[in-house]
mmCIF file of all heavy atoms in Angstrom:
data_model
loop_
_atom_site.group_PDB
_atom_site.id
_atom_site.type_symbol
_atom_site.label_atom_id
_atom_site.label_comp_id
_atom_site.label_asym_id
_atom_site.label_seq_id
_atom_site.Cartn_x
_atom_site.Cartn_y
_atom_site.Cartn_z
ATOM 1 N N CYS K 119 107.924 132.279 38.795
ATOM 2 C CA CYS K 119 106.958 132.031 39.862
ATOM 3 C C CYS K 119 106.628 133.390 40.482
ATOM 4 O O CYS K 119 107.525 134.063 40.993
ATOM 5 C CB CYS K 119 107.605 131.093 40.870
ATOM 6 S SG CYS K 119 106.625 130.834 42.350
ATOM 7 N N SER K 122 101.237 136.877 44.493
ATOM 8 C CA SER K 122 99.966 137.549 44.218
ATOM 9 C C SER K 122 99.496 138.405 45.393
ATOM 10 O O SER K 122 98.578 139.209 45.247
ATOM 11 C CB SER K 122 98.892 136.512 43.879
ATOM 12 O OG SER K 122 98.813 135.547 44.905
ATOM 13 N N CYS K 126 99.927 136.075 53.439
ATOM 14 C CA CYS K 126 98.773 135.234 53.090
ATOM 15 C C CYS K 126 97.903 135.112 54.325
ATOM 16 O O CYS K 126 98.396 135.005 55.439
ATOM 17 C CB CYS K 126 99.234 133.852 52.633
ATOM 18 S SG CYS K 126 97.870 132.800 52.091
ATOM 19 N N LEU K 128 95.856 132.684 54.919
ATOM 20 C CA LEU K 128 95.312 131.335 55.133
ATOM 21 C C LEU K 128 96.044 130.464 56.155
ATOM 22 O O LEU K 128 95.504 129.482 56.620
ATOM 23 C CB LEU K 128 95.168 130.606 53.796
ATOM 24 C CG LEU K 128 94.102 131.265 52.907
ATOM 25 C CD1 LEU K 128 94.004 130.560 51.577
ATOM 26 C CD2 LEU K 128 92.744 131.279 53.590
ATOM 27 N N CYS K 130 98.550 128.114 56.521
ATOM 28 C CA CYS K 130 98.885 126.685 56.512
ATOM 29 C C CYS K 130 100.147 126.520 57.380
ATOM 30 O O CYS K 130 101.121 127.245 57.175
ATOM 31 C CB CYS K 130 99.141 126.195 55.091
ATOM 32 S SG CYS K 130 97.762 126.544 53.981
ATOM 33 N N PHE K 132 102.704 124.656 57.624
ATOM 34 C CA PHE K 132 104.023 124.245 57.105
ATOM 35 C C PHE K 132 104.600 125.274 56.155
ATOM 36 O O PHE K 132 105.628 125.039 55.523
ATOM 37 C CB PHE K 132 103.888 122.893 56.370
ATOM 38 C CG PHE K 132 102.880 122.970 55.269
ATOM 39 C CD1 PHE K 132 103.255 123.375 53.992
ATOM 40 C CD2 PHE K 132 101.540 122.681 55.503
ATOM 41 C CE1 PHE K 132 102.329 123.504 52.981
ATOM 42 C CE2 PHE K 132 100.597 122.809 54.494
ATOM 43 C CZ PHE K 132 101.000 123.222 53.237
ATOM 44 N N CYS K 133 103.921 126.436 56.014
ATOM 45 C CA CYS K 133 104.303 127.401 54.974
ATOM 46 C C CYS K 133 104.876 128.676 55.581
ATOM 47 O O CYS K 133 104.264 129.296 56.449
ATOM 48 C CB CYS K 133 103.071 127.720 54.126
ATOM 49 S SG CYS K 133 103.355 129.062 52.952
ATOM 50 N N TYR K 134 106.023 129.050 55.069
ATOM 51 C CA TYR K 134 106.726 130.229 55.589
ATOM 52 C C TYR K 134 105.915 131.503 55.334
ATOM 53 O O TYR K 134 105.808 132.378 56.191
ATOM 54 C CB TYR K 134 108.087 130.326 54.885
ATOM 55 C CG TYR K 134 109.143 131.120 55.620
ATOM 56 C CD1 TYR K 134 109.048 131.398 56.977
ATOM 57 C CD2 TYR K 134 110.269 131.573 54.943
ATOM 58 C CE1 TYR K 134 110.048 132.111 57.636
ATOM 59 C CE2 TYR K 134 111.275 132.279 55.584
ATOM 60 C CZ TYR K 134 111.152 132.550 56.932
ATOM 61 O OH TYR K 134 112.130 133.250 57.574
ATOM 62 N N THR K 135 105.351 131.597 54.130
ATOM 63 C CA THR K 135 104.560 132.798 53.808
ATOM 64 C C THR K 135 103.411 132.948 54.799
ATOM 65 O O THR K 135 103.092 134.044 55.250
ATOM 66 C CB THR K 135 103.985 132.707 52.377
ATOM 67 O OG1 THR K 135 105.046 132.451 51.474
ATOM 68 C CG2 THR K 135 103.294 133.987 51.973
ATOM 69 N N TYR K 178 101.612 130.853 39.379
ATOM 70 C CA TYR K 178 101.207 131.682 40.524
ATOM 71 C C TYR K 178 101.395 130.829 41.773
ATOM 72 O O TYR K 178 100.451 130.298 42.334
ATOM 73 C CB TYR K 178 99.749 132.122 40.372
ATOM 74 C CG TYR K 178 99.509 133.185 39.318
ATOM 75 C CD1 TYR K 178 99.665 132.907 37.964
ATOM 76 C CD2 TYR K 178 99.113 134.475 39.675
ATOM 77 C CE1 TYR K 178 99.438 133.877 37.002
ATOM 78 C CE2 TYR K 178 98.875 135.456 38.715
ATOM 79 C CZ TYR K 178 99.049 135.147 37.382
ATOM 80 O OH TYR K 178 98.819 136.110 36.422
ATOM 81 N N MET K 179 102.660 130.699 42.151
ATOM 82 C CA MET K 179 102.985 129.840 43.303
ATOM 83 C C MET K 179 103.920 130.540 44.274
ATOM 84 O O MET K 179 104.591 129.907 45.075
ATOM 85 C CB MET K 179 103.680 128.554 42.838
ATOM 86 C CG MET K 179 102.790 127.613 42.072
ATOM 87 S SD MET K 179 103.605 126.027 41.843
ATOM 88 C CE MET K 179 102.418 125.195 40.809
ATOM 89 N N GLY K 180 104.034 131.852 44.147
ATOM 90 C CA GLY K 180 104.882 132.589 45.075
ATOM 91 C C GLY K 180 104.102 132.917 46.341
ATOM 92 O O GLY K 180 103.271 132.136 46.795
ATOM 93 N N MET K 181 104.355 134.091 46.883
ATOM 94 C CA MET K 181 103.669 134.458 48.123
ATOM 95 C C MET K 181 102.195 134.722 47.846
ATOM 96 O O MET K 181 101.842 135.368 46.871
ATOM 97 C CB MET K 181 104.303 135.730 48.692
ATOM 98 C CG MET K 181 105.731 135.532 49.141
ATOM 99 S SD MET K 181 106.572 137.101 49.346
ATOM 100 C CE MET K 181 105.586 137.845 50.612
ATOM 101 N N GLY K 182 101.370 134.225 48.765
ATOM 102 C CA GLY K 182 99.962 134.567 48.708
ATOM 103 C C GLY K 182 99.073 133.508 48.097
ATOM 104 O O GLY K 182 99.541 132.535 47.505
ATOM 105 N N GLU K 183 97.781 133.692 48.282
ATOM 106 C CA GLU K 183 96.768 132.794 47.714
ATOM 107 C C GLU K 183 96.136 133.533 46.528
ATOM 108 O O GLU K 183 95.345 134.462 46.720
ATOM 109 C CB GLU K 183 95.737 132.457 48.798
ATOM 110 C CG GLU K 183 94.458 131.815 48.301
ATOM 111 C CD GLU K 183 94.663 130.599 47.402
ATOM 112 O OE1 GLU K 183 95.329 129.641 47.803
ATOM 113 O OE2 GLU K 183 94.141 130.623 46.264
ATOM 114 N N PRO K 184 96.511 133.143 45.300
ATOM 115 C CA PRO K 184 96.051 133.912 44.137
ATOM 116 C C PRO K 184 94.537 134.070 44.075
ATOM 117 O O PRO K 184 94.044 135.132 43.700
ATOM 118 C CB PRO K 184 96.573 133.124 42.932
ATOM 119 C CG PRO K 184 97.338 131.974 43.456
ATOM 120 C CD PRO K 184 97.384 132.024 44.938
ATOM 121 N N VAL K 213 97.817 128.397 37.887
ATOM 122 C CA VAL K 213 97.437 129.033 39.150
ATOM 123 C C VAL K 213 97.365 127.941 40.207
ATOM 124 O O VAL K 213 96.724 126.913 40.011
ATOM 125 C CB VAL K 213 96.066 129.758 39.013
ATOM 126 C CG1 VAL K 213 95.523 130.152 40.377
ATOM 127 C CG2 VAL K 213 96.214 130.995 38.134
ATOM 128 N N SER K 214 98.059 128.169 41.310
ATOM 129 C CA SER K 214 98.042 127.210 42.419
ATOM 130 C C SER K 214 97.160 127.761 43.529
ATOM 131 O O SER K 214 97.279 128.918 43.916
ATOM 132 C CB SER K 214 99.468 127.011 42.943
ATOM 133 O OG SER K 214 99.459 126.164 44.074
ATOM 134 N N THR K 215 96.271 126.917 44.022
ATOM 135 C CA THR K 215 95.374 127.376 45.090
ATOM 136 C C THR K 215 95.234 126.322 46.176
ATOM 137 O O THR K 215 95.326 125.125 45.911
ATOM 138 C CB THR K 215 93.975 127.740 44.536
ATOM 139 O OG1 THR K 215 93.127 128.060 45.646
ATOM 140 C CG2 THR K 215 93.353 126.593 43.751
ATOM 141 N N SER K 216 94.970 126.817 47.375
ATOM 142 C CA SER K 216 94.751 125.902 48.488
ATOM 143 C C SER K 216 93.346 125.309 48.440
ATOM 144 O O SER K 216 93.023 124.439 49.248
ATOM 145 C CB SER K 216 94.988 126.653 49.795
ATOM 146 O OG SER K 216 94.177 127.801 49.818
ATOM 147 N N GLY K 217 92.511 125.779 47.514
ATOM 148 C CA GLY K 217 91.205 125.135 47.337
ATOM 149 C C GLY K 217 90.009 126.019 47.654
ATOM 150 O O GLY K 217 89.100 125.596 48.372
ATOM 151 N N ALA K 234 96.609 124.033 39.798
ATOM 152 C CA ALA K 234 97.301 123.172 40.758
ATOM 153 C C ALA K 234 96.594 123.346 42.099
ATOM 154 O O ALA K 234 96.267 124.470 42.485
ATOM 155 C CB ALA K 234 98.771 123.576 40.879
ATOM 156 N N ILE K 235 96.323 122.240 42.752
ATOM 157 C CA ILE K 235 95.636 122.305 44.043
ATOM 158 C C ILE K 235 96.599 121.852 45.133
ATOM 159 O O ILE K 235 97.234 120.797 45.023
ATOM 160 C CB ILE K 235 94.409 121.345 44.037
ATOM 161 C CG1 ILE K 235 93.405 121.755 42.954
ATOM 162 C CG2 ILE K 235 93.750 121.272 45.408
ATOM 163 C CD1 ILE K 235 92.689 123.060 43.200
ATOM 164 N N SER K 236 96.700 122.652 46.173
ATOM 165 C CA SER K 236 97.521 122.242 47.313
ATOM 166 C C SER K 236 96.689 121.295 48.168
ATOM 167 O O SER K 236 95.962 121.726 49.054
ATOM 168 C CB SER K 236 97.926 123.473 48.124
ATOM 169 O OG SER K 236 98.758 124.284 47.343
ATOM 170 N N LEU K 237 96.806 120.016 47.870
ATOM 171 C CA LEU K 237 95.942 119.028 48.538
ATOM 172 C C LEU K 237 96.527 118.657 49.910
ATOM 173 O O LEU K 237 95.916 118.876 50.928
ATOM 174 C CB LEU K 237 95.794 117.799 47.636
ATOM 175 C CG LEU K 237 94.740 116.800 48.090
ATOM 176 C CD1 LEU K 237 93.339 117.378 47.979
ATOM 177 C CD2 LEU K 237 94.840 115.504 47.281
ATOM 178 N N HIS K 238 97.684 118.053 49.902
ATOM 179 C CA HIS K 238 98.473 117.747 51.109
ATOM 180 C C HIS K 238 97.860 116.730 52.075
ATOM 181 O O HIS K 238 98.552 116.225 52.960
ATOM 182 C CB HIS K 238 98.864 119.015 51.874
ATOM 183 C CG HIS K 238 99.531 120.062 51.024
ATOM 184 N ND1 HIS K 238 100.453 119.760 50.045
ATOM 185 C CD2 HIS K 238 99.393 121.409 50.982
ATOM 186 C CE1 HIS K 238 100.862 120.876 49.455
ATOM 187 N NE2 HIS K 238 100.231 121.882 49.990
ATOM 188 N N VAL K 249 95.755 122.352 55.830
ATOM 189 C CA VAL K 249 95.277 123.393 54.896
ATOM 190 C C VAL K 249 93.952 123.905 55.482
ATOM 191 O O VAL K 249 92.872 123.447 55.108
ATOM 192 C CB VAL K 249 95.059 122.813 53.477
ATOM 193 C CG1 VAL K 249 94.777 123.916 52.463
ATOM 194 C CG2 VAL K 249 96.260 121.992 53.018
ATOM 195 N N GLU K 278 99.047 118.943 44.384
ATOM 196 C CA GLU K 278 100.333 119.096 45.071
ATOM 197 C C GLU K 278 100.230 118.434 46.441
ATOM 198 O O GLU K 278 99.235 118.598 47.158
ATOM 199 C CB GLU K 278 100.654 120.589 45.272
ATOM 200 C CG GLU K 278 100.525 121.451 44.038
ATOM 201 C CD GLU K 278 101.790 121.477 43.198
ATOM 202 O OE1 GLU K 278 102.766 120.780 43.525
ATOM 203 O OE2 GLU K 278 101.790 122.211 42.201
ATOM 204 N N TYR K 279 101.288 117.706 46.776
ATOM 205 C CA TYR K 279 101.262 116.975 48.052
ATOM 206 C C TYR K 279 102.645 117.081 48.688
ATOM 207 O O TYR K 279 103.600 116.443 48.262
ATOM 208 C CB TYR K 279 100.898 115.512 47.758
ATOM 209 C CG TYR K 279 100.406 114.710 48.935
ATOM 210 C CD1 TYR K 279 99.043 114.591 49.212
ATOM 211 C CD2 TYR K 279 101.304 114.044 49.767
ATOM 212 C CE1 TYR K 279 98.589 113.837 50.280
ATOM 213 C CE2 TYR K 279 100.847 113.279 50.845
ATOM 214 C CZ TYR K 279 99.494 113.180 51.093
ATOM 215 O OH TYR K 279 99.035 112.434 52.140
ATOM 216 N N VAL K 280 102.777 117.977 49.663
ATOM 217 C CA VAL K 280 104.064 118.169 50.332
ATOM 218 C C VAL K 280 104.230 117.040 51.356
ATOM 219 O O VAL K 280 103.315 116.752 52.122
ATOM 220 C CB VAL K 280 104.160 119.564 51.004
ATOM 221 C CG1 VAL K 280 103.142 119.768 52.094
ATOM 222 C CG2 VAL K 280 105.555 119.832 51.537
ATOM 223 N N LEU K 282 105.273 115.187 54.504
ATOM 224 C CA LEU K 282 105.701 115.460 55.876
ATOM 225 C C LEU K 282 105.832 114.134 56.630
ATOM 226 O O LEU K 282 104.869 113.348 56.722
ATOM 227 C CB LEU K 282 104.671 116.365 56.561
ATOM 228 C CG LEU K 282 104.375 117.691 55.822
ATOM 229 C CD1 LEU K 282 103.166 118.400 56.447
ATOM 230 C CD2 LEU K 282 105.610 118.599 55.844
ATOM 231 N N ILE K 309 105.890 116.802 46.641
ATOM 232 C CA ILE K 309 106.876 117.875 46.827
ATOM 233 C C ILE K 309 107.650 117.607 48.113
ATOM 234 O O ILE K 309 107.061 117.256 49.138
ATOM 235 C CB ILE K 309 106.183 119.248 47.022
ATOM 236 C CG1 ILE K 309 105.051 119.468 46.021
ATOM 237 C CG2 ILE K 309 107.164 120.384 46.968
ATOM 238 C CD1 ILE K 309 104.254 120.733 46.314
ATOM 239 N N SER K 310 108.965 117.814 48.045
ATOM 240 C CA SER K 310 109.713 117.663 49.298
ATOM 241 C C SER K 310 109.492 118.910 50.150
ATOM 242 O O SER K 310 109.391 120.025 49.643
ATOM 243 C CB SER K 310 111.196 117.426 49.034
ATOM 244 O OG SER K 310 111.682 118.390 48.142
ATOM 245 N N PHE K 311 109.391 118.673 51.434
ATOM 246 C CA PHE K 311 109.166 119.779 52.370
ATOM 247 C C PHE K 311 110.414 120.644 52.418
ATOM 248 O O PHE K 311 111.527 120.141 52.573
ATOM 249 C CB PHE K 311 108.856 119.217 53.761
ATOM 250 C CG PHE K 311 108.803 120.282 54.823
ATOM 251 C CD1 PHE K 311 107.819 121.265 54.791
ATOM 252 C CD2 PHE K 311 109.728 120.293 55.866
ATOM 253 C CE1 PHE K 311 107.771 122.253 55.776
ATOM 254 C CE2 PHE K 311 109.684 121.272 56.846
ATOM 255 C CZ PHE K 311 108.707 122.251 56.795
ATOM 256 N N ASN K 312 110.227 121.932 52.279
ATOM 257 C CA ASN K 312 111.352 122.854 52.369
ATOM 258 C C ASN K 312 111.362 123.497 53.747
ATOM 259 O O ASN K 312 110.445 124.235 54.086
ATOM 260 C CB ASN K 312 111.229 123.928 51.287
ATOM 261 C CG ASN K 312 111.351 123.315 49.910
ATOM 262 O OD1 ASN K 312 112.258 122.531 49.648
ATOM 263 N ND2 ASN K 312 110.413 123.616 49.032
ATOM 264 N N PRO K 313 112.386 123.197 54.505
ATOM 265 C CA PRO K 313 112.415 123.728 55.865
ATOM 266 C C PRO K 313 112.702 125.223 55.876
ATOM 267 O O PRO K 313 113.198 125.773 54.889
ATOM 268 C CB PRO K 313 113.567 122.963 56.514
ATOM 269 C CG PRO K 313 114.393 122.465 55.391
ATOM 270 C CD PRO K 313 113.540 122.386 54.166
ATOM 271 N N TYR K 314 112.342 125.864 56.925
ATOM 272 C CA TYR K 314 112.643 127.289 57.095
ATOM 273 C C TYR K 314 112.868 127.515 58.596
ATOM 274 O O TYR K 314 112.475 126.671 59.414
ATOM 275 C CB TYR K 314 111.502 128.151 56.541
ATOM 276 C CG TYR K 314 110.146 127.833 57.110
ATOM 277 C CD1 TYR K 314 109.719 128.405 58.306
ATOM 278 C CD2 TYR K 314 109.304 126.933 56.477
ATOM 279 C CE1 TYR K 314 108.485 128.092 58.840
ATOM 280 C CE2 TYR K 314 108.068 126.614 57.008
ATOM 281 C CZ TYR K 314 107.659 127.200 58.192
ATOM 282 O OH TYR K 314 106.447 126.874 58.713
ATOM 283 N N ARG K 344 108.759 115.907 42.803
ATOM 284 C CA ARG K 344 109.334 117.158 42.295
ATOM 285 C C ARG K 344 110.659 117.472 42.980
ATOM 286 O O ARG K 344 110.743 117.512 44.197
ATOM 287 C CB ARG K 344 108.370 118.322 42.509
ATOM 288 C CG ARG K 344 108.833 119.542 41.717
ATOM 289 C CD ARG K 344 108.355 120.825 42.328
ATOM 290 N NE ARG K 344 106.936 121.071 42.092
ATOM 291 C CZ ARG K 344 106.259 122.003 42.752
ATOM 292 N NH1 ARG K 344 106.838 122.724 43.681
ATOM 293 N NH2 ARG K 344 104.982 122.192 42.486
ATOM 294 N N ALA K 354 112.728 127.959 47.272
ATOM 295 C CA ALA K 354 111.843 126.843 46.976
ATOM 296 C C ALA K 354 110.444 127.108 47.537
ATOM 297 O O ALA K 354 110.241 128.023 48.336
ATOM 298 C CB ALA K 354 112.438 125.572 47.559
ATOM 299 N N CYS K 355 109.480 126.279 47.099
ATOM 300 C CA CYS K 355 108.090 126.440 47.524
ATOM 301 C C CYS K 355 107.986 126.622 49.019
ATOM 302 O O CYS K 355 108.575 125.878 49.784
ATOM 303 C CB CYS K 355 107.289 125.175 47.224
ATOM 304 S SG CYS K 355 106.978 124.920 45.538
ATOM 305 N N GLY K 356 107.196 127.584 49.403
ATOM 306 C CA GLY K 356 106.896 127.744 50.823
ATOM 307 C C GLY K 356 108.012 128.376 51.620
ATOM 308 O O GLY K 356 107.898 128.569 52.815
ATOM 309 N N GLN K 357 109.106 128.727 50.937
ATOM 310 C CA GLN K 357 110.194 129.358 51.681
ATOM 311 C C GLN K 357 110.188 130.869 51.506
ATOM 312 O O GLN K 357 111.050 131.559 52.019
ATOM 313 C CB GLN K 357 111.546 128.814 51.211
ATOM 314 C CG GLN K 357 111.795 127.384 51.653
ATOM 315 C CD GLN K 357 113.180 126.925 51.248
ATOM 316 O OE1 GLN K 357 113.578 127.070 50.103
ATOM 317 N NE2 GLN K 357 113.916 126.377 52.184
HETATM 318 N N1 SAH G 1 98.688 129.831 48.114
HETATM 319 C C1 SAH G 1 98.816 128.999 46.996
HETATM 320 C C2 SAH G 1 100.054 129.243 46.175
HETATM 321 C C3 SAH G 1 101.341 129.546 46.880
HETATM 322 S S1 SAH G 1 102.087 128.250 47.774
HETATM 323 C C4 SAH G 1 98.740 127.554 47.404
HETATM 324 O O1 SAH G 1 98.771 127.271 48.593
HETATM 325 O O2 SAH G 1 98.604 126.708 46.529
HETATM 326 C C5 SAH G 1 102.810 127.247 46.484
HETATM 327 C C6 SAH G 1 102.966 125.782 46.874
HETATM 328 O O3 SAH G 1 104.010 125.608 47.851
HETATM 329 C C7 SAH G 1 101.719 125.185 47.482
HETATM 330 O O4 SAH G 1 101.463 123.902 46.950
HETATM 331 C C8 SAH G 1 102.099 125.093 48.936
HETATM 332 O O5 SAH G 1 101.319 124.176 49.610
HETATM 333 C C9 SAH G 1 103.558 124.724 48.848
HETATM 334 N N2 SAH G 1 104.310 124.938 50.076
HETATM 335 C C10 SAH G 1 104.066 125.832 51.052
HETATM 336 N N3 SAH G 1 104.993 125.721 52.041
HETATM 337 C C11 SAH G 1 105.838 124.728 51.672
HETATM 338 C C12 SAH G 1 107.020 124.177 52.257
HETATM 339 N N4 SAH G 1 107.518 124.629 53.401
HETATM 340 N N5 SAH G 1 107.649 123.185 51.597
HETATM 341 C C13 SAH G 1 107.177 122.749 50.384
HETATM 342 N N6 SAH G 1 106.081 123.247 49.792
HETATM 343 C C14 SAH G 1 105.415 124.226 50.422
#
Side-chain angles (χ1 to χ4, degrees):
C119 173
S122 54
C126 184
L128 293 178
C130 305
F132 57 88
C133 172
Y134 202 19
T135 306
Y178 287 68
M179 291 190 185
M181 294 164 61
E183 166 51 56
V213 167
S214 176
T215 175
S216 55
I235 299 292
S236 295
L237 190 67
H238 308 320
V249 189
E278 310 273 3
Y279 198 94
V280 63
L282 304 170
I309 315 173
S310 50
F311 172 65
N312 295 312
Y314 55 85
R344 192 206 285 167
C355 288
Q357 288 184 310

